Amino acid sequence: MTRQKKELIKKLYEIEAFIEADSQLGCGFAPADFYRPLEQEAWELQEQLARLSHYPNAIAMMMDCRGAEMEEIPFK
């Protein structure tokens, strides 16, 4: 994994951790759209990570199931 990818992932984790901590400490009473700028920044970082990982966009990267463990369907 390249250094640039690692830095993008680190920034994404920091944004997600801040939003989660702020939500927990504030008991979920943030004003409407308070986290929108952070969520927009996180989405742009996801798009950059997808391009570096040779995906057309972030949605394609998130929906890729290669390397994921698939569970058997309990019914047929």
Side-chain angles (χ1 to χ4, degrees):
M1 183 181 296
T2 65
R3 180 177 178 177
Q4 191 174 12
K5 286 182 190 177
K6 288 180 183 178
E7 290 177 8
L8 289 173
I9 292 170
K10 182 180 174 185
K11 288 179 187 178
L12 283 166
Y13 283 141
E14 288 173 358
I15 290 171
E16 291 171 1
F18 173 78
I19 291 173
E20 183 64 28
D22 194 55
S23 295
Q24 293 293 324
L25 293 173
C27 299
F29 292 116
D33 297 333
F34 183 74
Y35 301 117
R36 185 173 298 270
L38 287 174
E39 291 168 346
Q40 182 64 33
E41 181 182 351
W43 186 255
E44 290 169 4
L45 293 173
Q46 287 280 7
E47 289 287 339
Q48 289 178 16
L49 183 60
R51 282 192 298 276
L52 288 173
S53 300
H54 307 289
Y55 289 97
N57 54 35
I59 298 290
M61 180 180 70
M62 290 177 202
M63 300 304 285
D64 188 13
C65 60
R66 288 181 287 176
E69 294 181 23
M70 297 296 191
E71 295 181 18
E72 288 290 322
I73 298 175
F75 54 87
K76 291 188 179 188

